[in-house]
Amino acid sequence: GVDLVARILSATLVVALAAWITRCLHWDGLADVADGLGSGGAPEQARAVMRRSDIGPVGVLTLVFTVLVQVLSLAQLPAGSTALAAWVLAVMLGRLAVGVACGPWFRPARPDGLGALVIGSMSASRLLTAGLLSGGVAVVATLAGPLPWSGSLLWGPVAAVGVALWLGRLARRRFGGSTGDVLGGTAELATTAVLLVLALR
């Protein structure tokens, strides 16, 4: 009905505003990673595809599907404080996933670029601090929403960390390591996974 259309429009504006604030940096990374994975070439060739300025069909479809999942998941939640709390939580856990992707268990694919500066730089103590801070935000968001405890404090974080570990391992196998694009893709995919979990819960 009219209420559903209004929620979809509101969710679209929120996702668009977030992309504009970040200058679409993470979305660009996600598209580049998708094109690199879809190239089917050796790691050097895949990294070359990712460095191109254009976006291929795999990248375009990945962006479209990811945006749709974010918008529809957010629109599925009750409008107002619940949707806002879910968005804040999802974005926060998406950034926590980037921290996990910068942990010592991953290495950069090449010695130059943004990825080489941060990948592998997150120590266990820093990750623990980030996790505790994220947990505090999750509790506040859960109470303010309100949001389901199982979604915000269990399955949401599990989904975000799972995306970071999965994409990092995939990048290591296909690209020879992680890159700044992989970090950007991690942020958006983890945010999407958390929104999907909250919508399904």
Side-chain angles (χ1 to χ4, degrees):
V2 176
D3 182 58
L4 177 60
V5 173
R7 293 205 307 271
I8 291 176
L9 288 175
S10 298
T12 302
L13 290 175
V14 169
V15 173
L17 179 61
W20 178 77
I21 290 174
T22 59
R23 296 183 297 171
C24 294
L25 186 63
H26 299 151
W27 291 106
D28 180 66
L30 177 60
D32 288 340
V33 169
D35 282 334
L37 293 174
S39 67
E44 296 80 7
Q45 294 172 318
R47 294 198 300 269
V49 169
M50 293 167 62
R51 286 195 295 268
R52 293 175 184 169
S53 58
D54 60 335
I55 299 179
V58 179
V60 170
L61 287 175
T62 300
L63 291 181
V64 170
F65 288 139
T66 306
V67 168
L68 281 175
V69 173
Q70 285 195 8
V71 169
L72 294 179
S73 296
L74 192 57
Q76 178 67 22
L77 297 166
S81 60
T82 301
L84 177 60
W87 178 253
V88 170
L89 178 64
V91 171
M92 183 271 298
L93 289 177
R95 274 51 181 180
L96 177 63
V98 174
V100 173
C102 291
W105 36 81
F106 293 125
R107 61 182 178 85
R110 56 181 190 269
D112 58 333
L114 173 63
L117 297 176
V118 295
I119 295 170
S121 65
M122 286 291 286
S123 63
S125 60
R126 289 179 177 177
L127 284 173
L128 178 60
T129 301
L132 291 174
L133 291 174
S134 299
V137 173
V139 170
V140 172
T142 301
L143 294 173
L147 296 172
W149 288 95
S150 61
S152 56
L153 295 179
L154 176 60
W155 296 115
V158 166
V161 173
V163 165
L165 296 177
W166 166 75
L167 191 57
R169 291 187 63 182
L170 186 61
R172 182 169 55 193
R173 187 170 69 249
R174 287 290 291 111
F175 308 142
S178 291
T179 66
D181 287 330
V182 173
L183 298 182
T186 297
E188 290 304 330
L189 289 182
T191 299
T192 305
V194 174
L195 287 174
L196 184 59
V197 165
L198 294 176
L200 293 177
R201 297 298 296 178

